[in-house]
Amino acid sequence: MSMRFRDNMICVICGLMAVACLVAASMRLDGIHQARKDMNLVSNEPLENAPPSLAFATVAMGAFRGLVVDILWMRADKLKEDGQFFDAKQLAEWITVLQPRFAAVWDFHGWNMAYNISVAVPNTQPEERWRWVRNGYELIRDKGLEKNPHSIILYRSLAWIFQHKISGVADDCHMYYKRELALAMRPLLGDKTKAEFADLAAAPYTIRELAADPEVAKLINELKQSDPGFADEGRMVRNYLSLRENPARFAPQAHEVINRWRQTPALRTFDVFARAHQLRNVWKLDTDLMVRLNERYGPTTPNDPNDHGPLNWEHPDVHAIYWAQKGLDMASKPGTYSIDEKNTDRIIFHSLQNLYRTGRLITYDLPDQGPAVFVRPDLAMFDTCNQEWINRIEKYEELEGGNPKAVRGGHRNLLINAILMFYQGGQQAKAASILAELRRRYPEENYTPSLVSFVRRRVAEEMDRVSGKDATELILMSLREAYFRFAVRDDNEASGREKWAREIYDIYQTDMADGARTALPQFDLIRYLALRDFMEDPFYPDDLKVRLMGRIKLDRPDLFEKLIEQEDVFKRLVEQNQAQTSGS
Amino acid sequence: MHSVWAVARNTIAQALRMKVAAVVIILLMVLLPMMSTILVGDGTLQGKLQTFVSYGLSLMTMLLCILTIAISTYTLSNDLRRKHIFMIVTKPISRFQIVLGKLCGVLILDAVLLVIFAVVIYTLTMFIPRLADAPEVQVKQAADEFFTARAALAVPEDKTEIEQQAWEVYRKLRDSGQLPPEMTSDRVLSELKGHQRMLSRSVPVNARKVWEFQNVRVRDPHEKLFVRFKYEVAVTPIDDKIHGVWEVGDTRQFQAGVGAWKTPIARVMRSDATRTMIEIEIPASVIADDGFVGVAFYNPSLNETTVIPEDVELLYRAGTFTANYLRVIMLIALRLVFLAALGVSASTWLSFPVAFLAAVAVFLLGMISGFIAESFEYVGGISGLLYDFTIKPLVWMLPRLDGDYNPTRFMVMGRLLSWGFLAQACAIMVFVKAGILTVFGIWVFSNREIAKTVV
């Protein structure tokens, strides 16, 4: 008995000591956590308000989470080495589930999919490539930023994918990406006016708020009854947008409802709500920020440089600007200017330049095919781009105390290039005002005050370096562009390009040609040759070429007659040449 | 035989009473169907199939291996610990029959479970295309690249030639006194061999390299061949793209004029990313009558860098998916046989926990055995000699469970697992390694004392 009592006492004492040790240890925990934070040993903050599945995945594994993550990373890397990408997306999702607060993980996987995996797909499969690029940016946008809303590297990476991968030209399928992005955004932007964007920003955020309007509520009820696809409010918006694009996918009653309510304010309100909903919830775009960016960076109107129109949200660089600006708003720290912020800032700047140089997306609908997309400069973006450049010079001087010589040199070249671009486009007044600004900002260069002599001098300098053959090529290029612009009904630009070609021709003939030996052929003949080049260029769709000929015949019959004449001249020249060659 | 079967039956009953068996069975029954719906891969039908088969087979293999180790280490050691063995050894049954009976029991259970879950995975795999509602293009791609068994031919590198060249360079360096003093001669040779290996695979600008494949036989002349490769480069181009001209066919005909060609030579010009596996589809009509196929790569001047096409293989359809799957299951069965033999053998002289841990350790090492073997290749000098006579035999005894012996890669990549390879794996893993372990276990059990005599 006494032995048993002794054993029991020992157990009780040990138990009490164990409890005491545990209590003492738990009292130390707070200090240990604080020390970890102070020494930056914590890379994963505890998740708050996370969905149960995510919380379970990150907590249940305990100490093994790191091991599991390592195994997943190793598998991802091994599969990548083997060129196997079937599991890449899944692994990226699992790794990011287990390490949701580690921004670099999202950054890596988004980049991996958008860049590495997409180029592993042959360029004969642009749809597949585009899918991987989308996988990449959607991972960062939809999931990475949700878990890491203050991580500037994620905003920068997202902006970079839009700027470099989609808007850039390094990828063989870049035109396909631009087209797909434009086509996806187009149905959501309405008539793309300032008022439209204001309406989008003011649109309610939920259907419940929307249904406060009795007329709209009535429309919603009719839609719900017309097709089962509209019964679920969660899918209603998506199905409505799908109905507008492709009515055949839904019951005829749904289309009848739309027809009945056409031109009514209620339908207009619902339509705006649906598009705003899609922009906010699918594209994760803040409509208020969109309006602010339009006001700050939008293209200017000719009459008022302070009046900014909406940006072209079909263009990838606008998305790059959005995400970069959002990153700076959410993640920049006041009083500091980190390297990440600088890089994000630069994305905005470079995207604005891109919008000036290639911001105009011309889509040409082809029968039985998807539309073709062409990119051209958007001269309306010049003022914004110019202003940002000036701001950058000032910021560089102020914040960094550096010598902005390189930046100023770039700005000077921008102005020179803009003068020629506006002149070619037939906007002499604007070109003259830019020249005035060039003279004011860079007086040391002594630029001539006369616009015409400035342009001619530039052309002459260019001609000085080229032969007759190159001059012909410059003229042909300008004329081909004129034909393209005429085909897509951009008559002002077409006229400007044609005049520009004529000017180059005149300058060369007057100042460069050394008699008949180096003189250029007749301008009319060169114009005909440019048409031949355009018609034989596989880059332009056949439908566009047919339209061009139709327009020339109808709208410029005099030109059409001249081209017919020159065709005969050309045939005779070819026959003469052949006769000479065979005779010799 | 009757005795062995009696012990086996007893072992099966014992295993089924173990909770671990029930857990494994339930886990697989629940997880496999769930995985077939949850796993989406890269969103394509083929990606979904590859992901499901990869994870499904891996999960089944892993769980069955753990179960095998658990049962095989438990059954005999438990009988010994609880003295149940006394009831057996007193009967007219020899010690080796007990060990064999235990082994057979574990193997029969493994076979039954393996067959059941293999059928489940196969059925789910065949149903996924019907349930996925994929576009026609994806269905065709899956049929061509997943539901198939493609034989892979590779041109082995000439190790003798490489070694000779490396030795030549080494001798020149040694004679001219240019050997780096801080490196051992083995290390220098190893580096030189690596360099020669790279040179033998490199294709400078405006040069061509040909790989020759023999005995290429396809079942259907309208089939396709695939040339698979990956580009490495000396200097990565800015756009990360390499231009290449591939000519596939009877390249011996290049000497004769085009008019004298009997079989066509396919010419493909393409640009591809570096460090990514690429496959080019070629019609099978390029195969010469004697089964010869040459694959020539030309590095055009566009690249401005030396290109190293790596892992060049010629793939052609040589079997069906179902037959290949059957062989893959047999390969998995081989590793279960080894593990069963290991577990039973270990339990003849170790207690259950120790035997279990040891068997699991061997299993885990087997998962990286290829890597271990390669790592020790670089050990030279006295350490190398020591390694050759001590550790190397032990490393050899490890089961090869990775690399070419990983069953999932055959299914995921649509690669043929040939009967010859399977027979070789069977011979080594079962007859040799498992045989050695079984014989060792029998010897230990036959000579160990089962009961202590207490006086």
Side-chain angles (χ1 to χ4, degrees), chain B residues 143-155 212-228 248 279-287 290-293 295 312-321 324 327 410 413-418:
Chain B
D144 285 341
E145 294 179 27
F146 180 79
F147 286 113
T148 183
R150 296 187 295 182
L153 297 176
V155 176
E212 294 179 351
F213 299 90
Q214 315 285 348
N215 293 322
V216 180
R217 307 277 175 204
V218 292
R219 302 179 330 158
D220 180 357
H222 300 293
E223 286 270 358
K224 300 278 182 202
L225 297 181
F226 296 86
V227 176
R228 188 174 149 94
V248 184
E279 283 190 18
I280 309 174
E281 199 176 288
I282 306 283
S285 54
V286 304
I287 303 174
D290 59 355
F292 176 89
V293 175
V295 175
V312 177
E313 289 178 315
L314 189 68
L315 306 171
Y316 60 95
R317 194 183 176 105
T320 62
F321 173 78
N324 210 36
R327 286 188 289 270
F410 292 100
M413 288 158 62
R415 291 296 188 91
L416 178 75
L417 170 55
S418 64

Side-chain angles (χ1 to χ4, degrees), chain A residues 38-51:
Chain A
D38 292 340
M39 286 188 271
N40 279 330
L41 298 176
V42 180
S43 57
N44 274 345
E45 292 161 18
L47 284 175
E48 281 142 21
N49 300 322

Side-chain angles (χ1 to χ4, degrees), chain B residues 101-121:
Chain B
K102 292 291 183 189
L103 185 60
C104 286
V106 174
L107 289 177
I108 290 169
L109 183 65
D110 275 342
V112 168
L113 290 177
L114 184 62
V115 164
I116 291 171
F117 291 113
V119 167
V120 168
I121 292 175

Side-chain angles (χ1 to χ4, degrees), chain A residues 72 75 80-91 93-94 116 119-123 125 128-129 131-132 135 170-172, chain B residues 38-44 46-47 50-51 54-55 58 138 141 228 230 239-241 270-273 275-278 412-413:
Chain A
L72 291 175
R75 179 174 163 85
K80 186 177 145 218
E81 286 282 323
D82 290 342
Q84 298 289 327
F85 299 111
F86 64 90
D87 211 12
K89 187 163 174 270
Q90 191 83 75
L91 286 169
E93 286 179 5
W94 285 342
N116 292 343
V119 297
V121 177
N123 57 8
Q125 297 174 33
E128 180 77 10
R129 273 203 179 183
R131 201 164 53 79
W132 280 106
N135 284 345
D171 193 314
D172 287 340
Chain B
I38 291 174
L39 294 175
V40 292
D42 60 2
T44 62
Q46 184 175 340
Q50 285 174 319
T51 311
S54 173
Y55 284 103
S58 300
Q138 288 185 17
Q141 188 187 18
R228 188 174 149 94
K230 180 171 71 171
D239 61 359
D240 203 31
K241 274 207 293 276
R270 47 189 293 141
S271 61
D272 297 295
R275 299 178 193 95
T276 307
M277 292 311 285
I278 312 287
V412 163
M413 288 158 62

Side-chain angles (χ1 to χ4, degrees), chain A residues 442-513:
Chain A
Y442 303 99
E444 65 276 10
E445 301 289 339
N446 286 322
Y447 292 112
T448 170
S450 158
L451 176 65
V452 172
S453 41
F454 177 89
V455 168
R456 287 185 79 96
R457 186 182 293 180
R458 288 283 144 192
V459 173
E461 280 170 13
E462 189 67 32
M463 295 288 116
D464 208 22
R465 294 190 284 273
V466 306
S467 63
K469 192 173 164 205
D470 297 321
T472 310
E473 189 53 43
L474 281 172
I475 298 166
L476 283 170
M477 258 171 49
S478 202
L479 287 170
R480 279 200 298 268
E481 183 63 16
Y483 284 126
F484 169 71
R485 296 293 188 140
F486 193 66
V488 295
R489 297 189 171 272
D490 190 357
D491 293 352
N492 286 338
E493 279 285 333
S495 170
R497 298 285 167 169
E498 196 177 344
K499 283 182 191 157
W500 178 247
R502 185 80 218 198
E503 286 215 34
I504 299 174
Y505 180 86
D506 289 340
I507 291 169
Y508 184 85
Q509 292 289 74
T510 315
D511 301 339
M512 308 288 156

Side-chain angles (χ1 to χ4, degrees), chain A residues 189 192 197 290 293-299 308-314 318 321-322 352 355 381 384:
Chain A
L189 302 175
K192 300 176 207 168
F197 279 95
M290 289 172 79
L293 290 176
N294 285 343
E295 285 165 2
R296 183 170 170 188
Y297 296 122
H308 293 267
L311 286 161
N312 179 7
W313 289 87
E314 295 176 10
V318 176
I321 290 172
Y322 176 92
L352 284 172
L355 284 173
M381 287 298 300
T384 309

Side-chain angles (χ1 to χ4, degrees), chain A residues 222-508:
Chain A
E222 283 190 28
L223 269 176
K224 280 182 183 173
Q225 284 157 23
S226 67
D227 187 294
F230 294 98
D232 177 5
E233 284 186 3
R235 286 169 34 208
M236 178 181 280
V237 167
R238 204 178 61 206
N239 286 342
Y240 166 77
L241 291 170
S242 184
L243 171 69
R244 297 305 295 258
E245 291 293 301
N246 194 353
R249 290 170 70 104
F250 297 87
Q253 292 88 338
H255 194 55
E256 281 165 22
V257 169
I258 300 298
N259 276 337
R260 264 203 311 279
W261 288 83
R262 205 176 285 280
Q263 308 289 347
T264 61
L267 182 61
R268 159 81 186 158
T269 305
F270 185 80
D271 188 72
V272 169
F273 163 79
R275 287 187 281 114
H277 189 274
Q278 191 77 352
L279 287 168
R280 288 166 183 157
N281 294 292
V282 174
W283 289 85
K284 307 287 191 254
L285 296 172
D286 176 356
T287 43
D288 290 324
L289 180 56
M290 289 172 79
V291 169
R292 284 206 311 276
L293 290 176
N294 285 343
E295 285 165 2
R296 183 170 170 188
Y297 296 122
T300 52
T301 54
N303 299 327
D304 184 359
N306 294 319
D307 180 27
H308 293 267
L311 286 161
N312 179 7
W313 289 87
E314 295 176 10
H315 198 287
D317 273 299
V318 176
H319 291 257
I321 290 172
Y322 176 92
W323 290 109
Q325 185 61 54
K326 185 130 176 130
L328 290 171
D329 290 346
M330 296 286 284
S332 61
K333 298 179 175 67
T336 62
Y337 192 41
S338 69
I339 186 73
D340 284 325
E341 284 174 49
K342 207 184 297 187
N343 289 336
T344 312
D345 212 6
R346 279 184 185 147
I347 288 181
I348 296 177
F349 177 57
H350 289 134
S351 282
L352 284 172
Q353 287 185 64
N354 288 345
L355 284 173
Y356 163 59
R357 292 193 183 117
T358 59
R360 187 134 177 249
L361 284 178
I362 300 171
T363 48
Y364 183 77
D365 289 322
L366 296 170
D368 301 327
Q369 296 176 49
V373 166
F374 305 94
V375 288
R376 289 294 186 275
D378 185 358
L379 299 184
M381 287 298 300
F382 167 75
D383 285 328
T384 309
C385 185
N386 183 36
Q387 188 55 50
E388 277 304 305
W389 208 304
I390 293 166
N391 292 345
R392 197 144 309 278
I393 293 172
E394 288 163 6
K395 190 176 181 179
Y396 202 87
E397 281 170 338
E398 247 182 65
L399 263 183
E400 300 192 0
N403 179 4
K405 193 173 170 187
V407 188
R408 283 170 56 84
H411 181 239
R412 191 183 59 237
N413 291 338
L414 172 79
L415 293 178
I416 293 171
N417 175 266
I419 293 168
L420 298 176
M421 293 277 277
F422 278 96
Y423 189 86
Q424 282 178 41
Q427 298 185 46
Q428 269 79 0
K430 183 68 182 177
S433 75
I434 299 172
L435 176 59
E437 184 180 348
L438 178 69
R439 283 166 47 79
R440 193 179 65 249
R441 289 194 181 275
Y442 303 99
E444 65 276 10
E445 301 289 339
N446 286 322
Y447 292 112
T448 170
S450 158
L451 176 65
V452 172
S453 41
F454 177 89
V455 168
R456 287 185 79 96
R457 186 182 293 180
R458 288 283 144 192
V459 173
E461 280 170 13
E462 189 67 32
M463 295 288 116
D464 208 22
R465 294 190 284 273
V466 306
S467 63
K469 192 173 164 205
D470 297 321
T472 310
E473 189 53 43
L474 281 172
I475 298 166
L476 283 170
M477 258 171 49
S478 202
L479 287 170
R480 279 200 298 268
E481 183 63 16
Y483 284 126
F484 169 71
R485 296 293 188 140
F486 193 66
V488 295
R489 297 189 171 272
D490 190 357
D491 293 352
N492 286 338
E493 279 285 333
S495 170
R497 298 285 167 169
E498 196 177 344
K499 283 182 191 157
W500 178 247
R502 185 80 218 198
E503 286 215 34
I504 299 174
Y505 180 86
D506 289 340
I507 291 169
Y508 184 85

Side-chain angles (χ1 to χ4, degrees), chain A residues 185-193 196 200 268 271 275:
Chain A
M185 288 300 296
R186 183 164 300 172
L188 307 177
L189 302 175
D191 58 13
K192 300 176 207 168
T193 57
E196 186 73 31
L200 286 169
R268 159 81 186 158
D271 188 72
R275 287 187 281 114

